[in-house]
Amino acid sequence: MKVIALDSSGLVASVAIVEDEILIAEYNIQYKKTHSQTLLPMLDELKRMTELSLDSVDAIALAAGPGSFTGLRIGSATAKAFGFALGIPLVEVPTLDGLAFNLYGTDKLVCPLMDARRNQVYTGVYAFDEFDLITLLPQYVVDISEIVTVINQMGREVIFTGDGAPIYAEQLVSLVNVPYSFAPAHLNRQRAASLAVLAMKYIKEGKTVSAAGHSPFYFRLSQAERVKASESETAVLIRPMTETDVEEISIIESRCFSMPWKAADFLEMITADFAHYYVAELKGKLIGAAGMRNILGDGQITNILVDLPYRRLGIGRKLLEYMFKDLAGKVEMYSLEVRAGNIAAIGLYEKMGFKKVGARPDFYEAPVENALIYHWILS
């Protein structure tokens, strides 16, 4: 099995060729030129030096996101071109999974940090079970203080890596209260070799896509898109969830939570007389959902999710407000549970009038975290 891997998701341009268990070649550069100037010449140089026949390549692996909008598009276009030309599949590797895999075999937590600007980072939390990469907190975009809160609650030694680590080093030094360290220079940036090794595992599991079926995944909209979305708030449609929605909503759920509901779970709820579930739709695209169970007038909110690129646009509030209006006169009190480290969600609930009434220690898993209990009693 021979795989070419490309990573242009961040500051580093990286290309690698891996065959079975052997790294044939790797070319990394982080110096001034843009990826559009470097990626193809780097691959051409590796091809020449290793006498690579492209007909012998079985798959193209790439960092699928998050990352730089321009960098992801360049990597995506390059991978798709090779996929089409050679008639071979693509392997989409989450960017932060690849970055974490650089620290293969460590007994510490790994927390990649990619600068997303505006005091935010693309991040996640990983560990190794013997030598398998375990995702404790799937990659997402969040304020730097929020991921520090999660790390502190996990209570384990952690290694920070990625271009965001030096940028937010002062805040990490002042806020982190567990043992920590920073990955050394040869392991603290994206490496295509790590993507290639992970891709080998994905191929065995059948996790490939066609060149036509691939598109990069952005964890948030571009600034222009965010402005347009916020200005066209009336374009967001809230409606009851249907059976045709559950598959797509379950995919969004899996991007948002480490222990997501499956499509069958949503399907079971929307067909129950006591449950009420809603979706948010923007120009025909599902971007969020919310749902609850009405148990004798007690509205137990089970799900509130907004796809990552559409957060901080008021979608969660719109979903809840629609639910409250739709169930007016049928529900006397709403209750919900939220991770103690989910500062953004807590802020929304408290602004809407929810009051904290208790906590459940170590209620959540992956990562283990307290659940805060909130109630809202209708007057």
Side-chain angles (χ1 to χ4, degrees):
M1 176 69 67
K2 187 177 293 183
V3 172
I4 292 176
L6 314 169
D7 195 327
S8 57
S9 60
L11 300 175
V12 175
S14 184
V15 180
I17 303 169
V18 170
E19 184 172 9
D20 298 325
E21 301 300 319
I22 300 173
L23 173 61
I24 304 298
E26 185 179 24
Y27 192 160
N28 303 317
I29 190 164
Q30 180 182 324
Y31 188 74
K32 292 185 179 179
K33 291 185 179 180
T34 65
H35 298 325
S36 60
Q37 296 173 292
T38 56
L39 202 62
L40 278 174
M42 289 166 62
L43 180 55
D44 186 59
E45 180 68 6
L46 289 191
K47 175 180 177 294
R48 183 187 66 80
M49 293 187 70
T50 63
E51 300 178 343
L52 173 69
S53 169
L54 292 177
D55 290 338
S56 68
V57 178
D58 296 291
I60 305 292
L62 74 161
S68 155
F69 285 94
T70 302
L72 289 176
R73 289 184 181 118
I74 292 169
S76 175
T78 303
K80 286 168 76 76
F82 277 98
F84 278 121
L86 301 175
I88 56 178
L90 273 54
V91 187
E92 301 170 324
V93 180
T95 302
L96 293 165
D97 291 27
L99 190 51
F101 199 70
N102 288 350
L103 295 161
Y104 176 83
T106 181
D107 60 351
K108 303 174 179 61
L109 297 179
V110 180
C111 181
L113 301 170
M114 290 177 64
D115 183 29
R117 302 185 180 178
R118 300 196 297 273
N119 211 49
Q120 292 188 322
V121 289
Y122 301 116
T123 187
V125 182
Y126 301 83
F128 288 89
D129 181 7
E130 293 186 349
F131 296 104
D132 287 329
L133 182 68
I134 305 300
T135 303
L136 300 179
L137 185 63
Q139 54 179 25
Y140 68 140
V141 60
V142 70
D143 187 272
I144 185 65
S145 63
E146 294 185 34
I147 188 60
V148 170
T149 298
V150 171
I151 291 295
N152 287 338
Q153 290 171 342
M154 287 183 165
R156 288 177 55 186
E157 186 171 354
V158 62
I159 303 174
F160 293 106
T161 188
D163 63 68
I167 293 173
Y168 296 102
E170 284 190 22
Q171 293 184 56
L172 295 173
V173 169
S174 64
L175 296 174
V176 176
N177 59 25
V178 296
Y180 68 90
S181 58
F182 295 98
H186 67 298
L187 298 175
N188 67 4
R189 294 294 188 273
Q190 287 88 333
R191 290 187 59 182
S194 290
L195 292 184
V197 176
L198 280 174
M200 293 284 193
K201 180 175 182 291
Y202 290 0
I203 291 169
K204 292 178 182 177
E205 296 171 353
K207 297 178 180 178
T208 63
V209 298
S210 66
H214 163 71
S215 60
F217 182 71
Y218 307 111
F219 271 35
R220 65 185 187 192
L221 305 176
S222 67
Q223 184 59 31
E225 290 170 322
R226 291 182 67 83
V227 170
K228 185 176 180 180
S230 62
E231 289 176 349
S232 60
E233 190 174 336
T234 55
V236 176
L237 170 67
I238 310 295
R239 60 170 175 78
M241 187 183 298
T242 67
E243 292 186 15
T244 58
D245 298 324
V246 297
E247 191 67 42
E248 189 171 350
I249 289 299
S250 70
I251 293 172
I252 297 173
E253 170 99 350
S254 69
R255 289 199 286 260
C256 296
F257 303 109
S258 59
M259 300 181 67
W261 278 30
K262 294 180 172 58
D265 300 320
F266 286 106
L267 185 60
E268 180 181 358
M269 283 293 101
I270 66 172
T271 55
D273 292 338
F274 57 83
H276 304 271
Y277 280 71
Y278 310 90
V279 296
E281 187 176 82
L282 179 61
K283 297 181 179 179
K285 177 181 177 63
L286 295 180
I287 60 174
M292 54 81 70
R293 297 176 296 192
N294 184 2
I295 310 299
L296 300 177
D298 178 5
Q300 301 173 0
I301 298 175
T302 57
N303 306 77
I304 304 174
L305 58 136
V306 177
D307 206 359
L308 300 172
Y310 299 92
R311 292 184 176 179
R312 301 177 186 269
L313 296 175
I315 308 301
R317 174 183 285 272
K318 287 179 71 71
L319 280 161
L320 288 174
E321 288 175 342
Y322 185 96
M323 177 191 295
F324 298 157
K325 182 178 180 180
D326 187 52
L327 300 175
K330 301 176 183 178
V331 176
E332 300 173 358
M333 179 188 77
Y334 287 95
S335 61
L336 58 83
E337 293 158 348
V338 58
R339 283 184 179 271
N342 195 342
I343 297 172
I346 291 170
L348 169 63
Y349 303 146
E350 292 184 347
K351 285 179 183 178
M352 295 191 71
F354 284 84
K355 305 295 183 184
K356 185 171 70 174
V357 296
R360 291 191 172 96
D362 298 337
F363 178 79
Y364 289 106
E365 299 177 3
V368 174
E369 190 172 10
N370 293 347
L372 303 182
I373 304 169
Y374 277 81
H375 284 179
W376 186 39
I377 300 176
L378 303 181
S379 55

